[in-house]
Amino acid sequence: MSDSIILGIESSCDDTSAAIIKGNSILSNIAANQEIHKEYGGVVPELASRAHQQNIIPVVEKSLTKANIQQNAISAIGFTRGPGLLGSLLVGTSFAKSLAMSLDVPLIEVNHLQAHILAHFIEDANPMPPKFPFLCLTVSGGHTMIVLVKDYFDMEILGKTIDDAAGEAFDKIGKIFDLDYPAGPIIDRLAKEGNPEAFKFNKPKLENYDYSFSGIKTSVLYFIQKEVKKNPDFIKDNLNDLCASVQRSIVEILMAKLEKAAKELEIKEVAIAGGVSANSALRKAMQDNNEKLGWNIYIPKFEYTTDNAAMIAMVAQLKFERGEFTDLRTSATAKYDL
Ligand code: KG4
Ligand code: ZN
């Protein structure tokens, strides 16, 4: 891999992030989170867009300072073109275009989902990068899918959620428990002190590699409504057990289809990616399958799981090597297939 220096910019949802990569080694990876959405229990698109506008210049400047890089050392600029919230994407896209124009360097568009998967090729993401072909369970707040990765830019979606994403399920169920947004990491933390066998929730029965998470959300909601009638403090009294049980159910749903795909396709190279891959129970389940099923597992370093610009810079580097540049007339796109 060439050791060109590339700036990556990510602004697809509620994190404004900038990273500098040299070859496949990350020199800086800066993110500004948007606390404002906590008050609303979810991401408010208009507020996200405005916060990106405020954050983008300081975040990019910080990424350069931290990496000890001058602007004129940058060979190209990579940015998330989609999928995501249009108003958010527009901020990163416009900024990347202007900077590429003023520095007179190539502009490189990046698909956010590809980036979650290709984050595995960042030098310090894994002790070893995955070998093609591998399976990648890509799980975030907006997506849940099993991807067959045949090569860097040759990916096939084997199955995906037909309703909510796994992260969305964590967040919506967290809301039922009156937890802050995003609830995924909070449920993970509270589950550590709870009994995962305490409560049982409905599991979807889908034939192929598709997922469904709206059933478990409804099942939790009805269960809570029933119990709270008997004991108004039911959630408070059982919070750790509730979180552990929900987490167990979601992880079991995720792993069942991944195991089915690995078995049927006879693939033992198995990776996870996206925000939910930070989940400790999912990581543990992967570890167990390394021992039980002989999987070679790839779990990215924590900082490359939730939205970050390091993964955007990584894809931009791979495209830079291939000479795949983007016209300056490009625009952001909310929907963007793999
Ligand atoms: O990839 P990401 O940062 O953004 C999207 O592209 O959606 O994923 C965010 C999602 C949120 O739903 C959040 O609750 C979930 O990832 N998440 C977790 C954990 N950390 C983040 N879910 C469960 N356990 C975690 N430790
Ligand atoms: Zn993401």
Side-chain angles (χ1 to χ4, degrees), residues 17-172:
S17 180
I20 305 285
I21 199 166
K22 183 176 186 191
N24 70 340
S25 151
I26 296 296
L27 305 184
S28 65
N29 183 27
I30 307 292
N33 296 97
Q34 303 180 0
E35 293 293 319
I36 180 103
H37 306 289
K38 277 207 172 108
E39 287 171 40
Y40 299 91
V43 177
V44 184
E46 288 77 8
L47 296 180
S49 175
R50 205 175 310 157
H52 282 306
Q53 289 173 35
Q54 285 163 355
N55 292 338
I56 191 124
I57 294 176
V59 163
V60 170
E61 277 176 352
K62 232 174 163 175
S63 72
L64 288 163
T65 314
K66 174 102 190 285
N68 203 8
I69 291 290
Q70 303 294 321
Q71 278 191 10
N72 60 12
I74 297 173
S75 296
I77 294 171
F79 70 101
T80 308
R81 187 173 161 234
L85 299 170
L86 194 59
S88 291
L89 290 163
L90 279 170
V91 179
T93 306
S94 319
F95 184 85
K97 280 161 71 167
S98 330
L99 193 59
M101 212 184 302
S102 72
L103 297 178
D104 196 22
V105 294
L107 180 69
I108 302 176
E109 63 160 61
V110 173
N111 178 314
H112 181 88
L113 294 172
Q114 267 185 355
H116 270 302
I117 296 170
L118 297 176
H120 281 285
F121 295 93
I122 295 172
E123 192 182 36
D124 62 342
N126 287 294
M128 295 258 287
K131 289 185 274 304
F132 300 117
F134 66 93
L135 290 175
C136 187
L137 173 68
T138 310
V139 261
S140 69
H143 299 271
T144 296
M145 51 176 114
I146 298 177
V147 181
L148 171 62
V149 188
K150 299 175 216 171
D151 205 340
Y152 292 111
F153 297 104
D154 185 4
M155 304 184 187
E156 183 189 339
I157 299 172
L158 300 178
K160 58 179 188 224
T161 180
I162 58 164
D163 41 52
D164 292 348
E168 205 178 349
F170 271 112
D171 297 339
K172 286 180 175 170

Side-chain angles (χ1 to χ4, degrees), residues 190-311:
L190 294 170
K192 290 194 170 54
E193 308 292 322
N195 172 11
E197 313 272 348
F199 307 105
K200 295 260 180 305
F201 303 110
N202 281 354
K203 293 236 181 76
K205 292 181 186 65
L206 294 173
E207 284 297 313
N208 44 21
Y209 299 128
D210 284 342
Y211 286 111
S212 167
F213 288 98
S214 66
I216 175 167
K217 178 190 63 194
T218 317
S219 159
V220 172
L221 180 65
Y222 290 165
F223 174 71
I224 293 291
Q225 284 173 341
K226 193 176 80 201
E227 294 299 325
V228 165
K229 273 195 197 131
K230 293 185 258 171
N231 167 15
D233 288 333
F234 180 78
I235 296 178
K236 197 161 92 330
D237 293 349
N238 296 281
L239 191 56
N240 296 98
D241 286 351
L242 283 167
C243 289
S245 302
V246 162
Q247 177 170 277
R248 170 176 178 241
S249 302
I250 294 179
V251 169
E252 277 181 6
I253 296 170
L254 289 171
M255 290 307 290
K257 292 290 166 99
L258 188 59
E259 284 165 17
K260 177 176 152 76
K263 191 168 169 225
E264 290 175 0
L265 276 79
E266 295 181 27
I267 293 180
K268 285 195 190 278
E269 297 281 304
V270 189
I272 51 175
V276 181
S277 66
N279 184 267
S280 58
L282 182 61
R283 289 173 167 239
K284 165 91 178 34
M286 289 288 288
Q287 224 96 49
D288 290 347
N289 280 359
N290 162 254
E291 285 148 34
K292 263 192 348 230
L293 305 173
W295 285 4
N296 295 323
I297 56 163
Y298 302 92
I299 303 176
K301 204 169 153 187
F302 191 78
E303 65 199 85
Y304 305 136
T305 55
T306 46
D307 288 350
N308 65 86
M311 65 185 193

